[in-house]
Amino acid sequence: MSHASYPHIRLRRTRAAAWSRAMVAETTLSPANLIWPLFVTEGQQVEAPVATLPGVSRWSVDRIVDKAREARDLGIPCVALFPNTPPGLRSIGGEEALNPGNLMCRATSAIRDAVPEVGILTDVALDPYTAHGHDGLIDDQGRVLNDATMEVLVKQALVLARAGASIIAPSDMMDGRVGAIRGALEADGHHDVQIMAYAAKYASAFYGPFRDAVGSGGLLKGDKRGYQMDPANAEEALREVALDLAEGADTVMVKPGLPYLDIVRRVKERFEVPVFAYQVSGEYAMIEAAAAAGAGDRDALVLETLLAFRRAGCSGVLTYHAAHAARLLRA
Ligand code: PBG
């Protein structure tokens, strides 16, 4: 086959001009592919910067509504809310998670009323509410209890759904929680509330700045390896996804993001369902640090990493760069 190679074939031909690159691009990135995580804090007219996440702040409920409007105006379909619970409301059992007047519920219903066009994703896990920083209830040896935690998570999910959450996102990694939450949502009449399962969530070193932002980092005793996944494992991620889908998850998430794109790809190919990834706080901080150090162009790093998620098979990405990226994409 003498014609099957150079110079008859020059892959550079289709790369030579911008119009041609646009025509053959296999992957697209738009604001519709972004979910914007936002941190909520007490008070009025408060913007409290997060030291380890330059450019990210915690917002009081009144200001979070402005952020949701900003998302809508930028074409970002959904925001994800996380609370910085005041220290005095954290407890061994995390009871504040079940208070229908807690920060999350107030932020959710304020956005639901003011900006009904935007989806609201709410995390289900106890770490922003517990005095020990774990995602669940612990026994006297400090081990996180699965079944007892699940009962609380079900109640937490109902409280959030009643406040107006569009997507319940269990991030706790307890076994069986998706099925239990789905059953409770159905029984309570929330037939259209989605579940996005943090299906493959790894015990990762990339969550540090997030724990600062929600105020749980300094509290955490030990680590989360007894419930979050071992970064060594991929087959186990497929089992997690299979179970969460069977239990009634609408969509699944892989977390962290960029170092785990192999998992995204395998999940997408195996299950053919919408897959999301969370470009987590440590990943955001690394891009910001690289840009600040002059090691790379911030805007280019942001858009390239987000495109990589799409190429790997993601329907969308949770990213703290969402608003910035949406502005770049609309420019
Ligand atoms: C808590 C939760 C975490 C994140 C999202 N939900 C932290 C953790 O599991 O310790 C991390 C997000 C990020 O790092 O940006 N269940």
Side-chain angles (χ1 to χ4, degrees):
M1 278 284 282
S2 61
H3 286 201
S5 62
Y6 172 87
H8 300 84
I9 293 176
R10 291 181 187 263
L11 291 179
R12 290 184 56 188
R13 280 188 204 111
T14 53
R15 288 175 208 151
W19 64 263
S20 175
R21 291 193 293 273
M23 207 167 72
V24 301
E26 298 173 37
T27 308
T28 58
L29 176 67
S30 93
N33 307 127
L34 305 173
I35 297 175
W36 193 10
L38 297 168
F39 297 107
V40 198
T41 195
E42 285 293 349
Q44 293 205 340
Q45 293 298 318
V46 176
E47 171 176 6
V50 182
T52 49
L53 285 175
V56 174
S57 295
R58 312 173 188 103
W59 306 92
S60 50
V61 170
D62 49 353
R63 301 289 297 276
I64 212 88
V65 170
D66 298 336
K67 295 279 122 188
R69 281 198 193 94
E70 192 178 330
R72 176 197 61 199
D73 295 345
L74 287 166
I76 296 169
C78 186
V79 296
L81 303 179
F82 299 94
N84 183 299
T85 306
L89 294 177
R90 295 179 196 234
S91 60
I92 300 291
E95 285 83 0
E96 179 64 8
L98 307 185
N99 172 6
N102 71 19
L103 205 44
M104 277 294 287
C105 292
R106 280 182 278 132
T108 299
S109 56
I111 294 175
R112 176 54 60 246
D113 290 346
V115 203
E117 311 90 322
V118 167
I120 306 170
L121 181 151
T122 59
D123 222 61
V124 162
L126 298 183
D127 54 308
Y129 307 97
T130 52
H132 43 71
H134 279 293
D135 292 24
L137 305 177
I138 55 173
D139 66 12
D140 41 20
Q141 266 112 59
R143 281 178 308 221
V144 173
L145 297 161
N146 194 86
D147 299 8
T149 296
M150 202 164 75
E151 285 179 31
V152 183
L153 298 177
V154 165
K155 293 181 188 152
Q156 183 186 19
L158 285 178
V159 164
L160 292 166
R162 289 173 190 158
S166 344
I167 306 179
I168 298 293
S171 72
D172 52 284
M173 291 301 280
M174 298 304 117
D175 287 320
R177 89 282 205 217
V178 171
I181 291 171
R182 174 56 78 206
L185 289 174
E186 283 296 321
D188 205 46
H190 304 287
H191 310 298
D192 292 331
V193 171
Q194 299 182 26
I195 296 178
M196 182 186 291
Y198 283 77
K201 174 171 178 179
Y202 289 85
S204 170
F206 286 95
Y207 304 151
F210 173 95
R211 293 178 189 168
D212 288 347
V214 299
S216 67
L219 303 174
L220 184 62
K221 304 219 172 32
D223 58 52
K224 300 191 177 182
R225 284 182 290 185
Y227 44 108
Q228 298 179 350
M229 281 185 56
D230 184 344
N233 295 351
E235 287 175 353
E236 191 184 332
L238 301 178
R239 293 185 75 188
E240 284 283 5
V241 170
L243 285 169
D244 286 354
L245 290 171
E247 289 176 30
D250 301 281
T251 58
V252 293
M253 193 205 297
V254 173
K255 173 182 175 200
L258 222 48
Y260 295 83
L261 290 188
D262 59 319
I263 308 298
V264 168
R265 166 56 63 184
R266 288 178 69 170
V267 168
K268 185 68 189 172
E269 284 183 348
R270 170 81 63 98
F271 297 99
E272 299 177 322
V273 297
V275 181
F276 292 79
Y278 200 144
Q279 185 177 43
V280 297
S281 56
E283 299 178 69
Y284 173 95
M286 279 170 54
I287 291 175
E288 290 298 314
D297 177 72
R298 180 173 182 246
D299 296 351
L301 291 170
V302 168
L303 292 180
E304 182 179 333
T305 54
L306 293 174
L307 188 67
F309 284 100
R310 295 276 298 147
R311 193 190 61 239
C314 283
S315 297
V317 188
L318 289 90
T319 174
Y320 301 96
H321 280 123
H324 182 64
R327 277 193 197 90
L328 293 173
L329 291 167
R330 300 192 129 207

